[in-house]
């Protein structure tokens, strides 16, 4: 979620709040106060409301009658839903992107994987991981599909941060290397099958709930 120089105020507000939600700085159930956010960004309530709507569309916030807008909670069903949606949409994007993937793009994706393997914390790993996935699907040139994938990545990142932020350990991503090997060999179907399996991998790390405890809600690996 790198900052774009052309982003509008509602987009900037939603991006900053999304980063706080994903990192766990804003916990599930926390209230997003329109007046406080407006004061922080020196904005009127109009762009703040638009930013809140963007967060709701991403599944990061919910609007409740008489309770205002709050950070959305999540459970095992949501984790699995996001995993299945990501697998379907990323495979679709990869099949369209495959014929347009150049050696330079694949080399850059390999660099992202190496960076992820040596990440000092989950935030750095997630950035490298997202970069890898974005690189191999962007050549599909389907902006609506890519926007949907971006939203799902935000949800995935939130699960990952909740599961791993307290006991992160670096790991080698063999799936990324297998995907790259398939793409370099022109075996797009094989690469797509590995990608689908990779995204749907479910680990057994408990995550924090809105109540502040832990439950057996699992984090997506990729």
């Amino acid at each position: 979620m790198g900052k774009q120089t052309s982003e509008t105020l509602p987009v900037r507000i939603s991006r900053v709040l999304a980063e706080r939600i994903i990192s766990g700085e804003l916990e599930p159930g926390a209230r997003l106060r329109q007046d406080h956010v407006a004061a922080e960004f020196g904005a009127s309530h109009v762009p703040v409301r638009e930013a809140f709507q963007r967060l709701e569309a991403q599944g990061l916030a919910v609007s409740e009658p008489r309770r205002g807008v709050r950070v959305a909670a999540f459970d095992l069903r949501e984790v699995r839903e996001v995993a299945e949606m990501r697998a379907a949409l990323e495979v679709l994007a990869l099949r369209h992107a495959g014929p347009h993937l150049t050696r330079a793009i694949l080399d850059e994706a390999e660099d992202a994987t190496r960076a992820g393997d040596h990440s000092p914390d989950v935030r750095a790993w997630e950035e490298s991981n997202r970069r890898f996935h974005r690189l191999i699907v962007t050549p599909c040139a389907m902006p609506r599909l890519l926007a949907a994938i971006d939203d799902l990545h935000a949800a995935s990142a939130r699960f990952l941060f909740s599961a791993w932020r307290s006991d992160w350990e670096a790991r080698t991503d063999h799936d990324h290397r297998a995907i790259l090997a398939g793409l370099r060999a022109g075996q797009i179907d094989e690469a797509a099958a590995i990608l689908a399996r990779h995204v749907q991998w479910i680990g057994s790390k408990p995550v924090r709930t809105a109540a502040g405890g832990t439950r057996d809600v699992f984090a997506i690996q990729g």
Side-chain angles (χ1 to χ4, degrees):
M1 288 188 299
K3 182 177 178 181
Q4 302 297 317
T5 56
S6 61
E7 68 184 4
T8 63
L9 183 56
V11 170
R12 181 165 71 89
I13 294 172
S14 66
R15 175 179 57 78
V16 172
L17 293 178
E19 289 172 352
R20 294 174 185 173
I21 293 170
I22 290 167
S23 69
E25 181 180 343
L26 289 173
E27 296 278 355
R31 185 175 178 186
L32 299 176
R33 298 183 180 275
Q34 191 175 112
D35 52 345
H36 291 182
V37 174
E40 176 183 353
F41 289 90
S44 70
H45 284 190
V46 174
V48 175
R49 282 196 295 269
E50 186 175 334
F52 285 178
Q53 289 170 355
R54 291 177 62 86
L55 292 174
E56 289 183 62
Q58 289 178 298
L60 298 176
V62 292
S63 180
E64 301 174 339
R66 297 182 296 280
R67 297 189 67 193
V69 178
R70 295 181 179 273
V71 176
F74 54 86
D75 59 23
L76 178 57
R77 287 177 299 178
E78 183 180 352
V79 175
R80 287 176 172 166
E81 179 184 13
V82 168
E84 291 186 13
M85 290 178 67
R86 270 193 59 194
L89 296 186
E90 288 192 40
V91 164
L92 174 62
L94 184 63
R95 290 188 186 281
H96 284 273
H100 309 289
L101 288 168
T102 64
R103 177 181 294 182
I105 292 172
L106 296 176
D107 286 348
E108 193 174 351
E110 189 166 353
D111 288 343
T113 291
R114 280 197 294 266
D117 289 347
H118 299 94
S119 295
D121 53 46
V122 67
R123 180 185 289 275
W125 178 86
E126 196 280 326
E127 289 175 358
S128 297
N129 178 69
R130 190 181 306 204
R131 182 166 161 249
F132 170 86
H133 283 264
R134 198 65 158 82
L135 280 165
I136 64 172
V137 299
T138 294
C140 75
M142 302 170 74
R144 289 189 180 184
L145 176 59
L146 292 172
I149 290 172
D150 281 346
D151 285 348
L152 292 169
H153 266 281
S156 295
R158 189 177 177 215
F159 306 146
L160 286 161
F161 270 68
S162 183
W164 293 107
R165 63 189 176 195
S166 62
D167 59 348
W168 168 253
E169 59 182 43
R171 70 209 67 222
T172 299
D173 199 320
H174 298 290
D175 282 351
H176 281 191
R177 284 170 170 76
I179 291 167
L180 285 173
L183 293 174
R184 289 188 189 280
Q187 298 172 343
I188 297 174
D189 288 344
E190 175 66 17
I194 298 169
L195 176 63
R197 189 166 62 247
H198 169 71
V199 171
Q200 291 188 80
W201 181 89
I202 300 293
S204 56
K205 297 292 294 183
V207 302
R208 296 175 62 85
T209 65
T214 60
R215 292 180 57 194
D216 289 332
V217 182
F218 303 160
I220 299 169
Q221 178 186 17

